[in-house]
Amino acid sequence: MFLNSQKALLKSDGTRLDDRLPSHVRPAFLKTGAVSVAAGSAYAEFGSTKVIVSVYGPRESKKAQAFSDIGRLNCDVKFTSFATPLRGKAGQDVSDKEFSVLLHKALEDAVDLHSFPKTTVDVFALVLQSGGGDLPAIITCASLALADAGIVMHDIVAAISLSCVGKDLLLDPTYKEESQQDGSVFIALMTSRREITQVTFTGEWSSTKASEALELCCDACVKLGEVMRVCLKEDAAEATEDT
Amino acid sequence: MVVGLGLSSAEKSYIAGGIAVDLRGDGRGRHHFRDFSIDTSIIPQANGSARLRLGGTDVIASVKAELCAPPPGRPHHGKLEINVECSPTAAPEFEGRGGEELSMDLSRALQRSFLGGASGAGAAIDLASLVVLEGKLCWMLYFDGLVLSSDGNLLDALSIAMKAALSNCGLPKVEITSGTNPEDDADFELNEEEFTPVDTSRFPVIVTLTKVGKHYIVDATAEEESQMTAAVSVAVNKKGSICGLTKRGGTGLDPSVLLDMISVAKRVSQTLITSIDAEISAAESRHDDQ
Amino acid sequence: MGDAMRGAHFRLSPAQKQRMLVAQERCRDAAGSVHSSAFVNVGDTIPVDYENGYLRGHGTQVVDGQLLATVCGVVERVNKLVSVRPLRARYNPETGDVVVGRVTEVAPKRWKVDVNSRQDAQLMLSAVNLPGGIQRRRTATDELNMRDLFTENDLISAEVQTLHQDGSLHLHTRSLKYGKLESGQLVKVAPYLIKRLKQHFHQLKQYGVQMILGCNGYVWISALPQSTPDIATDQKRANTESLEAAAGTADSQNVEISRELRERICRLANVVRVLGACGFLIHPDSIVDTYEASLSWGTELKHMFSGEFFVKVVEREAEQRSKKG
């Protein structure tokens, strides 16, 4: 049984079903400005996972929160009914609400709430297609959207997850790989400072394996951070203005 | 169907004045549709999908096909279900339950236009073509619409997007392995290598006429919609037959005005359907090129 | 990237795509490499002369003795002040800015106005232009009749009076050129595309049109105001006490706008929209220039959002920039 599931995810030459090496991430396609009416927005594709995030604000908070020294960050995640292979809520393991909370936790430390007192910044994430690594994709995309909106932040956050299947560590797992994982790691990282803002482990891990997994994830996040920076710079260059 | 748009009375009279002289704020005439662009196959996991951009309005439609039992009393028909969601990415007001009312309005209007009569006649798709095994197995097509951003005319935009998604849709071949006897359950296998397209020739397009003052306009922007006294959405198919009609807005309409609006909708729909078909083929060939 | 500019979506033929890419390239080259090298991302280190000292401005923070950027944008250095200006942020008000805003609330003795900034601005009853002399005390009648002057959703032009530490800002309309806006349309562009100039009110007499370029990105294009304010009219008004007479709104709203004038307003508005979508500076000269060009090309009003027009506008801008440089 154990061997069967391994064979199902790795081919005889050691590559995964999508031809990747276990330590390779899916190619990322990132673009800012996906929703022009929003203050900032971004669209991200990681393999078959597609996410779009809009940021609104800072704008006036509702009366109750208006008298506060720090700003408010409001995060909302939704899965479209066609996002999962099994249509509708039945296809989701984790609820929209849980994802919203996790997104908020990952971004909280990076956003400078003192820079927009008395007001609110809304982050609306929409998963168009769920193909594995949904939460990291949402966080990475949200980070881009916040930067696009000009929200003051301490650093750019990137996130990644990893599945442990038997002895193998599969970085940036697909939906299929995730569904058969024995354990998992998820981190959100501030990419310039190399500081972890969020981390979760599930399953059983020896310390050596855990540190190996962390190393893999952090390196992947740093590289993803570089891709995000290039994206932001390129999209800024499109705004052809005189200096 | 307007979200949080406040205009000054000066702006309102300027807009109404423009419509009265057939010169709207962006230079269009009363019966002029904005340019739109279609992209297909944007949700590969769905059976068919499309994205439509019409000015600042941006919507996505997807078609998912599932096998199920035919509707009670109609063993020779398949099923359609239509649902629309307004995402908060389009407007912060749509967060939580904020967009619910609008989503329901849009869903109902589309259902009215695409589902046909209670007998199944006049539906957007020939329901008989969705039957796999009469009385036992048929296709259920779920149409899901998603509003990503809105600058008016969501209903028309969604109907175009759904038509495009359907054109992009392929139904896997079903091989019946057993159960052809009336008493037995059907057993089947899906052949995910062979796909059959769905006939979209009956699929109507919705043209909404928004009444502002004495005149009516086609493809209203959000600003123009905020001025409406009434709006009539007419679904028209390629043959020129009306497949559904919905009226919004509290102001009463004289029957002659209603008939005139219908004839305008019919006229506009014919050129619109031609543009849509052209855009869809262009989108499909772009996709094939990739 | 040629197909979709922020805020606009249109289809380009392969030939048009090619022309667009070439034109965009030329624009970028003409803007100079200084621009791209000054761009920083969040978390990037900003090169500073630590020896001579510096002042930390917006969009920066100090971590472990190093100056880092906290927004993505362009580094600006004014004397010793080092700051990062984000490209797409909300409008950052400065005292003296001319803005176009929308009244969101009528509160006791003040209006709240949306000026596309983080918080709504305040316009105090004491800060508006009242007849009968600037120093007139506000009466109880004035307080009750505030809606006669400005009501919810009205568009007004005003000037930024003061800015406070917590980001709140106060406006004033203490000049006859400021006040309620009528007989025209509003176009919104990104605030960073409108530079602070000496003049923000532009009377284009040759078209019979007035343009107000609000520093906050809100642009108002309308018919020229009925009468230019003069002393004689003011004296007449000075004799009345109420706000109603001073507002004189009842008549102005029914100003007849001829079809030709409407077409000109529409063409200018479309030009501003297109320039905004291309990310080009919204300057009165470039607006008039592009307006005239659109006429010479024979572009119909309803075709100003087509791919062809966008390509032509970018090509023209590339041409203008290469001439300068």
Side-chain angles (χ1 to χ4, degrees), chain C residues 30-270:
Chain C
S33 56
V34 176
H35 169 68
S36 44
S37 62
F39 181 83
V40 287
N41 271 310
V42 172
D44 286 355
T45 322
I46 303 169
V48 180
D49 186 354
Y50 292 98
E51 289 266 317
N52 286 326
Y54 66 92
L55 282 170
R56 191 173 76 75
H58 287 302
T60 63
Q61 68 177 355
V62 178
V63 175
D64 295 336
Q66 287 227 302
L67 190 66
L68 303 179
T70 54
V71 289
C72 298
V74 177
V75 178
E76 284 189 329
R77 299 170 201 270
V78 181
N79 296 328
K80 290 199 175 166
L81 183 67
V82 182
S83 53
V84 181
R85 183 171 50 79
L87 290 183
R88 266 183 265 282
R90 297 287 254 182
Y91 163 57
N92 247 331
E94 276 175 30
T95 315
D97 276 356
V98 170
V99 295
V100 170
R102 193 181 291 282
V103 174
T104 55
E105 206 185 304
V106 183
K109 294 202 202 152
R110 62 164 178 222
W111 294 268
K112 286 191 88 181
V113 184
D114 160 36
V115 293
N116 197 25
S117 184
R118 290 177 199 174
Q119 293 174 44
D120 284 353
Q122 316 248 30
L123 175 62
M124 308 301 288
L125 178 54
S126 51
V128 304
N129 198 34
L130 282 184
I134 308 165
Q135 300 304 324
R136 177 162 84 73
R137 267 187 78 237
R138 269 55 180 167
T139 64
T141 327
D142 292 333
E143 280 180 47
L144 287 173
N145 294 336
M146 280 178 70
R147 280 195 175 77
D148 289 336
L149 193 53
F150 305 130
T151 187
E152 286 91 345
N153 292 323
D154 273 350
L155 280 175
I156 62 168
S157 61
E159 192 175 297
V160 176
Q161 184 178 54
T162 48
L163 274 176
H164 296 278
Q165 282 277 17
D166 60 359
S168 62
L169 69 148
H170 287 243
L171 306 174
H172 77 85
T173 58
R174 281 214 198 88
S175 164
L176 289 166
K177 64 180 181 179
Y178 296 130
K180 190 145 99 170
L181 300 175
E182 289 165 343
S183 310
Q185 46 176 290
L186 180 73
V187 179
K188 294 183 185 176
V189 299
Y192 72 93
L193 294 177
I194 299 189
K195 291 281 176 273
R196 291 176 170 95
L197 302 170
K198 283 209 180 82
Q199 264 299 338
H200 284 266
F201 282 75
H202 303 281
Q203 307 229 327
L204 303 175
K205 296 213 169 71
Q206 69 272 41
Y207 307 136
V209 170
Q210 174 181 263
M211 275 191 323
I212 306 176
L213 304 182
C215 297
N216 57 336
Y218 288 1
V219 175
W220 178 255
I221 300 168
S222 66
L224 280 171
Q226 280 290 8
S227 52
T228 32
D230 63 67
I231 304 165
T233 333
D234 282 352
Q235 287 292 34
K236 223 187 269 175
R237 286 179 177 177
N239 295 330
T240 54
E241 290 283 301
S242 75
L243 284 171
E244 293 164 58
T249 51
D251 291 320
S252 6
Q253 254 181 45
N254 297 325
V255 164
E256 276 303 306
I257 305 173
S258 71
R259 201 206 154 80
E260 291 76 32
L261 179 56
R262 203 176 269 278
E263 278 176 10
R264 275 176 254 135
I265 293 174
C266 178
R267 189 171 289 268
L268 280 168
N270 282 354

Side-chain angles (χ1 to χ4, degrees), chain B residues 209 216 254-267:
Chain B
L209 286 161
Y216 9 105
D254 189 275
S256 62
V257 169
L258 182 63
L259 285 173
D260 190 47
M261 285 169 110
I262 290 174
S263 79
V264 171
K266 274 175 78 165
R267 195 169 27 88

Side-chain angles (χ1 to χ4, degrees), chain A residues 33 104 151 164 186:
Chain A
H104 188 272
I151 304 292
C164 177
F186 157 76

Side-chain angles (χ1 to χ4, degrees), chain A residues 209-222:
Chain A
K209 206 138 192 213
S211 83
E212 193 190 331
L214 263 183
E215 183 89 25
L216 269 173
C217 287
C218 287
D219 285 342
C221 280
V222 169

Side-chain angles (χ1 to χ4, degrees), chain A residues 44-110:
Chain A
E45 264 180 41
F46 294 92
S48 64
T49 299
K50 298 181 199 309
V51 178
I52 191 168
V53 178
S54 295
V55 169
Y56 287 90
R59 354 175 264 140
E60 297 256 319
S61 294
K62 298 195 178 54
K63 304 243 170 51
Q65 292 108 16
F67 302 97
S68 170
D69 283 341
I70 59 170
R72 195 173 86 89
L73 183 68
N74 174 40
C75 295
D76 182 80
V77 176
K78 262 184 110 153
F79 277 70
T80 58
S81 39
F82 47 77
T84 46
L86 206 56
R87 191 181 164 278
K89 297 293 175 228
Q92 281 175 239
D93 297 318
V94 185
S95 70
D96 290 351
K97 204 149 170 88
E98 279 177 74
F99 269 113
S100 304
V101 172
L102 292 168
L103 175 61
H104 188 272
K105 287 201 178 144
L107 296 175
E108 235 182 348
D109 285 340

